[in-house]
Every structure is written in structure tokens, then in C-alpha cells.
Amino acid sequence: MTDTTSISDNVMAVRDRISRAAMAAGRQSDEIRLVAVGKTQPPEVLVAAVEAGVCDLGENRVSELAAKMDQLARAPAMANAKWHFIGRLQTRKARALVGRGVLVHSVDRRGLVDALQRRALAAECVQQMLIQVNVGDDPAKGGCDVQEVDALVAYACDLPNLQVTGLMTMPPLPPDGTDQAAAARPWFARLREIRDRLVADWPQVSELSMGMSADLSAAVAEGATMVRVGTAVFGPRQSGPWLGSDPSERL
Ligand SMILES: *Cc1c(COP(=O)(O)O)cnc(C)c1O
């Protein structure tokens, strides 16, 4: 069981890292949203993060996200919490996400864009999303190729029930023993350059979701507007996804 006092200490420590990196870069720390990534953690520790002032929660599995949203729907602390989906998204799971006000960070192909548009039209809503870019061309990571991003953004921005609000990336993991933040920084700079180019034609494509526990300072230095932080907030991950206290309610 995670100790909730340590979660509020962790949130403060992460905020401190964000504000120091922001200050060093001449940025305001309130330009950067902390998305606390609670994958594998039980709902009560997510509530502890929200009670410690976190407004944004991230998950990487649709079933886990849905189970936690349902479980916490009536928790008073959660009334203003915003949910983010940051994992690989299978087209057939788009339905379970659309219409819940979730920001999807991981849209990386036309088939998925089409599925989200179809579902959003049916749900009579506008689905907000980021386009994930595989800046390091890493076969282990999701994201569209750097060469495809302009066309994918143009395609998605044309659809009536979608709103593309920015870009997301996960840089390649450097070899063991390398400084992860230093290695990631050029990849974060790459995403920012892509955003700076796109924003001239699509001003709404402004957000940069980049940076995790190990490299968030480098991401903030390169312009991140959202950092996705798991272990530095919640401690080590649990052994597997949290799928609900009531198995009959699982997706
Ligand atoms: C798990 C995860 C994170 C957070 O990773 P930490 O290293 O625990 O901070 C960020 N982004 C994505 C896409 C993730 O899956």
C-alpha cells in the first residue's frame, strides 16, 4: 500500500523540479501541466495525488482508465480532475474512450483518426487529441514517422469532430549508464521544431507532451507544456494493471 504522505511530498518535489527547469529556461512554471501517470496504481493513490493538487491523471490502458474513471466518478476530490490517455490505442478500443472528456495523447495513424472521428460523430462530441511522433524512429515506440506528421495533422485537423491540440513523443531509451535527460534533450528539441513549423498553419497545435520522471527537466527546457510523470509521483509500479474492485464491471 502506498503511503499518501509520501505522494504529497513526491508531488511537491516534482513541482520543484518543474519550476527550477522552467526558471532556468525563462519560462513560467504554470505553463507546464503535471500529468500524474497512475498506471498499475489503485484508485486511492490517484485521489491522494489529486488531493496534493494534481489536476491531470494519465493512464496507458483503456480498460484500466475506464475502471478508474468509473470507480472515482463520485469522489468529491475528483470533480475537476482531467484524464489523459497516453498508451498505445487499438482502433477497436476507440469507442470506450470517446465521449468521456479524455485527452488522447497517442494518435499516430489515419485508421485511428478515422475511428475517433466516427465515434465522436456518433457521440456528438469533439474529441481532443495530440499526435504522437516517433522522433527517434525507435521501433519500440509508438508514434508516426517524422516524415508523416504534417500530413497526419492536416488530415485530422480537417475532421469536424476532432481537435488536435498538440504533439506528444517518447524518445528512445539510451544505453544503460547514459544520462537519460541529456540523451533525450535533442529529441525533445526535435518535437518542438516540428510544433513550431506546424503551428504556423494550425495555431491550435500548440501543446508539447514530453518528459517523464527521468527526463522532465530536459523536456521543460525544450518547451514541454505537459510532462507525464509516473514513478516520481507514485513510486515503483505495481505488478500489473489495476482492473477494478468489481470483476463483473471489467470491460
Ligand atoms: C508510464 C509512462 C510515463 C511515465 O513514466 P515514468 O518513468 O514512470 O515517469 C510517461 N509516458 C508514457 C507514455 C508512459 O507509458
Side-chain angles (χ1 to χ4, degrees):
M1 188 69 249
T2 316
D3 165 11
T4 56
T5 331
S6 68
I7 288 179
S8 82
D9 289 348
N10 292 348
V11 168
M12 278 197 289
V14 168
R15 290 225 187 269
D16 191 52
R17 288 172 65 195
I18 293 172
S19 40
R20 278 193 280 172
M23 212 173 339
R27 304 182 62 202
Q28 304 289 325
S29 50
D30 63 7
E31 295 168 18
I32 300 130
R33 272 152 79 181
L34 168 58
V35 180
V37 178
K39 60 191 183 195
T40 78
Q41 308 291 352
E44 54 273 20
V45 310
L46 275 57
V47 173
V50 170
E51 285 172 344
V54 168
C55 302
D56 296 273
L57 294 169
E59 293 288 337
N60 72 334
R61 288 169 185 258
V62 174
S63 48
E64 188 171 356
L65 172 69
K68 286 176 178 171
M69 286 184 83
D70 293 346
Q71 169 102 3
L72 296 173
R74 278 177 300 280
M78 303 294 292
N80 298 315
K82 168 91 182 166
W83 293 86
H84 300 248
F85 183 77
I86 62 172
R88 290 217 189 196
L89 183 54
Q90 291 170 278
T91 302
R92 64 187 173 83
K93 301 238 171 116
R95 170 188 230 149
L97 272 185
V98 171
R100 288 175 157 253
V102 174
L103 176 64
V104 180
H105 289 224
S106 47
V107 180
D108 62 0
R109 56 195 189 277
R110 277 188 189 217
L112 182 55
V113 168
D114 289 337
L116 291 166
Q117 164 58 31
R118 215 160 42 235
R119 291 297 170 198
L121 179 64
E124 298 178 25
C125 68
V126 172
Q127 176 63 51
Q128 295 204 326
M129 63 176 63
L130 308 177
I131 299 293
Q132 183 175 354
V133 187
N134 192 353
V135 282
D137 202 17
D138 176 356
K141 297 288 187 309
C144 70
D145 289 348
V146 169
Q147 296 79 2
E148 293 168 357
V149 60
D150 293 56
L152 190 58
V153 165
Y155 183 73
C157 284
D158 247 6
L159 295 174
N161 295 77
L162 303 181
Q163 190 183 22
V164 183
T165 59
L167 306 176
M168 182 271 235
T169 198
M170 290 185 76
L173 266 189
D176 278 349
T178 336
D179 177 347
Q180 198 172 321
R185 187 158 173 170
W187 300 121
F188 295 148
R190 186 98 195 263
L191 194 71
R192 174 174 44 74
E193 287 158 18
I194 295 170
R195 191 274 319 265
D196 290 348
R197 186 184 70 233
L198 291 172
V199 86
D201 288 323
W202 295 282
Q204 71 275 33
V205 184
S206 58
E207 303 272 1
L208 288 172
S209 167
M210 56 190 197
M212 320 199 299
S213 293
D215 54 19
L216 68 89
S217 303
V220 169
E222 292 298 344
T225 62
M226 296 180 205
V227 291
R228 309 176 310 268
V229 184
T231 48
V233 169
F234 294 112
R237 279 191 258 289
Q238 309 296 318
S239 53
W242 185 88
L243 287 174
S245 47
D246 180 355
S248 71
E249 287 180 1
R250 286 182 196 176
L251 282 184

